[in-house]
């Protein structure tokens, strides 16, 4: 059953909650929300069966969550703050793809983040300018009302058939509606290049695991190495999967491996 919480700015965030045990908040990537993401719904149930209290939200402006443009990184962090309160004030964060950059921003700004679990985060080169340029281009398309162009640009660099399948599929109206929200994803990615990462993330003390599939795109590997180099308590780990996807049971098994033995 869908539940709701309000951010400090009064934005209503929808979420599912399942299981008992270690609180874990899931942060979706650019195209993820509950109505179109059966893999993460499956992951929620798999994690709940392995000792987690899982909070699976729709990010601001997506699915059943409220929110109006412009969508900013600060609004994503405010939503995570509210979800941490739902979870009792302390939780692990799992960030998928660009949601991993949002998770890093939340961990840098909020108390109560006990562990970070990041799946194939598409960071650019440290201190590079491409993130800021990408954000400017996304904002231009959002301001022009070009929702299809916004999503097409965001997915540039991925196999083109991914976008074409989304565009031709029955859920396209749902994706089109949430297109302006990827501005927050682009802002999060640009933020990771805004200063040397060791300094930018100096307030992050949570143990961090950067997860990669068995056949990741090379830029995900470079990004993982950069995150591990910048954080004092970070490691890489592998999950069976390829093409930026995993099977829910495989990922749940890997995440459950970080629980204390008594909780498993």
């Amino acid at each position: 059953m869908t539940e709701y919480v309000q951010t400090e700015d009064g934005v209503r965030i929808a979420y599912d909650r399942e299981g008992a045990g270690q609180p874990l908040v899931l942060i979706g990537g650019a195209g993820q929300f509950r109505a179109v993401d059966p893999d993460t719904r499956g992951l929620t149930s798999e994690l709940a069966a392995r000792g987690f209290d899982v909070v699976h939200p729709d990010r601001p402006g997506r699915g059943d969550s409220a929110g109006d443009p412009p969508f900013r990184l600060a609004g994503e962090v405010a939503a995570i703050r509210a979800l941490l309160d739902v979870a009792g004030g302390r939780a692990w964060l799992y960030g998928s793809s660009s949601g991993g950059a949002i998770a890093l921003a939340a961990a840098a700004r909020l108390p109560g983040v006990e562990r970070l679990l990041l799946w194939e985060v598409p960071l650019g080169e440290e201190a590079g300018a491409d993130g800021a340029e990408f954000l400017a281009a996304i904002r231009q398309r959002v301001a022009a009302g070009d929702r299809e162009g916004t999503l097409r640009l965001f997915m540039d660099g991925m196999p083109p058939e991914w976008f074409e399948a989304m565009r031709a599929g029955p859920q396209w109206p749902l994706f089109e509606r949430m297109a302006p929200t990827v501005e927050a994803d682009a802002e999060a990615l640009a933020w990771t290049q805004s200063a040397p990462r060791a300094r930018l993330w100096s307030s992050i003390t949570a143990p961090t695991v950067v997860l990669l599939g068995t056949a990741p795109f090379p830029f995900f590997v470079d990004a993982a190495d950069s995150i591990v180099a910048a954080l004092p308590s970070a490691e890489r780990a592998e999950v069976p999967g390829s093409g930026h996807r995993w099977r829910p049971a495989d990922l749940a098994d890997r995440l459950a491996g970080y629980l204390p033995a008594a909780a498993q």
Side-chain angles (χ1 to χ4, degrees):
M1 182 180 70
T2 299
E3 300 181 61
Y4 298 92
V5 66
Q6 283 199 336
T7 71
E8 58 191 3
D9 297 327
V11 177
R12 191 174 78 158
I13 302 299
Y15 64 93
D16 294 328
R17 189 173 186 179
E18 187 173 350
Q22 171 61 51
L24 172 64
V25 177
L26 307 180
I27 305 168
Q32 292 178 296
F33 53 102
R34 294 175 305 153
V36 302
D37 187 8
D39 286 349
T40 305
R41 292 200 306 271
L43 177 64
T44 297
S45 294
E46 294 283 356
L47 290 167
R50 288 164 173 77
F52 287 96
D53 173 7
V54 189
V55 178
H56 178 202
D58 287 336
R59 285 175 39 195
R62 301 184 179 188
D64 293 324
S65 287
D68 296 304
F71 292 96
R72 298 286 193 252
L73 178 57
E76 300 288 346
V77 173
I80 294 168
R81 182 193 297 272
L83 294 164
L84 285 171
D85 289 343
V86 164
R90 307 190 66 82
W92 296 8
L93 299 184
Y94 166 79
S96 177
S97 193
S98 55
I102 293 171
L104 283 161
R109 302 176 189 186
L110 300 177
V113 178
E114 297 179 314
R115 184 181 289 273
L116 280 174
L117 304 154
L118 309 174
W119 167 256
E120 294 192 342
V121 188
L123 304 189
E125 184 178 0
E126 182 170 6
D130 55 307
E133 294 166 359
F134 181 63
L135 173 60
I138 289 289
R139 284 180 169 165
Q140 183 180 41
R141 282 163 176 76
V142 170
D146 183 4
R147 297 190 174 208
E148 180 174 339
T150 297
L151 293 176
R152 190 179 291 275
L153 175 61
F154 200 95
M155 294 179 68
D156 186 40
M158 292 297 186
E161 60 269 21
W162 290 9
F163 177 82
E164 297 307 328
M166 181 174 72
R167 179 66 182 85
Q171 294 175 320
W172 172 248
L174 298 177
F175 286 112
E176 192 174 34
R177 174 181 172 269
M178 56 74 65
T181 70
V182 302
E183 183 177 339
D185 299 76
E187 184 181 353
L189 295 171
W191 168 77
T192 69
Q193 295 180 305
S194 64
R197 286 174 176 155
R199 188 175 79 207
L200 190 67
W201 300 335
S202 61
S203 60
I204 298 178
T205 58
T208 300
V209 183
V210 187
L211 300 154
L212 297 171
T214 49
F217 297 127
F219 64 90
F220 288 131
V221 178
D222 294 341
D225 289 342
S226 179
I227 295 169
V228 170
L231 291 174
S233 182
E235 62 179 278
R236 270 177 53 179
E238 187 175 280
V239 177
S242 62
H244 204 35
R245 294 190 68 179
W246 33 257
R247 291 185 297 272
D250 291 335
L251 181 54
D253 283 342
R254 170 59 72 181
L255 301 188
Y258 295 99
L259 289 170
Q264 299 183 41

